[in-house]
Amino acid sequence: DVKVTQSSRYLVKRTGEKVFLECVQDMDHENMFWYRQDPGLGLRLIYFSYDVKMKEKGDIPEGYSVSREKKERFSLILESASTNQTSMYLCASSMTSWMEQFFGPGTRLTVL
Amino acid sequence: AQSVTQLGSHVSVSEGALVLLRCNYSSSVPPYLFWYVQYPNQGLQLLLKYTTGATLVKGINGFEAEFKKSETSFHLTKPSAHMSDAAEYFCAVTEEGANSKLTFGKGITLSVRP
């Protein structure tokens, strides 16, 4: 089974802090994705990566950056956390960009 | 550009009743279609998918969906709801191609009444 793990299930940070969310997949997938999920808005793509050191902006990249130094690991970085970044963050991976994605359990981030 | 419409945000059924969750898509080329389920405070889990071939697709937990090209629909059904089916359900569409990614609907919450 494909396994996607995220570094934390719950995280509480203060406004202005730098926040790292990490995601690891064990199926040698080329593509990895970061989404945020908010009530009534569904899933919104923040960034994705189709290869090591490659990244593409999604629909809402403002306030976020990403890093993919190794194929299995994709990190989401909030340079200076703000309260409007309080959300559920979901990581996913897939073999090809157009096929099914496999999701991690999510990180519920609260920024105070 | 591809898109997905899931009308309504909430469906409530009685235990044992038919579950019908609607999904309509827009795609300029033959689509690949997916249904995902999300239980509270968890990630999304793939229920079923349609790529090519048989238009009636069976998934996990007794769910199935039928691809109807003429109606641009991919509705999810289950003959008899169980309490454990209470969750949020997402429909997604994509097209084969290097620049394509999944496009998700906004999701629909299923409640099951005892």
Side-chain angles (χ1 to χ4, degrees), chain B:
Chain B
Q2 59 204 28
S3 65
V4 174
T5 301
Q6 294 182 253
L7 287 178
S9 61
H10 185 242
V11 168
S12 181
V13 301
S14 296
E15 193 172 19
L18 171 72
V19 175
L20 170 61
L21 303 180
R22 298 178 187 275
C23 173
N24 288 89
Y25 70 90
S26 171
S27 175
S28 56
V29 298
Y32 293 174
L33 295 156
F34 306 83
W35 275 100
Y36 284 84
V37 61
Q38 185 183 32
Y39 299 104
N41 292 313
Q42 294 187 26
L44 277 67
Q45 178 184 1
L46 183 67
L47 266 180
L48 49 78
K49 66 180 180 182
Y50 168 79
T51 54
T52 58
T55 56
L56 181 63
V57 180
K58 294 187 185 301
I60 61 172
N61 302 338
F63 284 92
E64 61 183 35
E66 186 170 12
F67 168 57
K68 292 188 176 180
K69 184 178 177 181
S70 61
E71 299 177 7
T72 61
S73 70
F74 190 58
H75 302 331
L76 183 70
T77 60
K78 182 174 181 178
S80 177
H82 192 273
M83 298 296 289
S84 61
D85 294 326
E88 190 161 16
Y89 293 80
F90 292 89
C91 181
V93 65
T94 187
E95 305 159 354
E96 185 171 342
N99 294 323
S100 187
K101 301 177 297 298
L102 290 187
T103 297
F104 288 88
K106 293 199 182 304
I108 191 159
T109 300
L110 174 67
S111 299
V112 181
R113 303 184 301 272

Side-chain angles (χ1 to χ4, degrees), chain A residues 14-56:
Chain A
R14 297 213 172 269
T15 301
E17 279 192 80
K18 191 169 186 176
V19 181
F20 291 88
L21 302 182
E22 296 206 321
C23 175
V24 177
Q25 52 95 3
D26 67 357
M27 283 301 291
D28 203 34
H29 282 171
E30 302 288 335
N31 300 271
M32 297 188 75
F33 307 82
W34 275 106
Y35 296 88
R36 64 176 284 176
Q37 182 181 16
D38 301 287
L41 298 178
L43 275 73
R44 292 182 291 168
L45 182 63
I46 306 171
Y47 268 97
F48 69 99
S49 169
Y50 52 89
D51 202 351
V52 175
K53 297 191 186 294
M54 306 302 288
K55 61 184 179 184
E56 292 280 346

Side-chain angles (χ1 to χ4, degrees), chain A residues 76-87:
Chain A
L76 180 69
I77 303 154
L78 287 66
E79 293 290 340
S80 178
S82 63
T83 55
N84 63 13
Q85 292 178 310
T86 291
S87 187

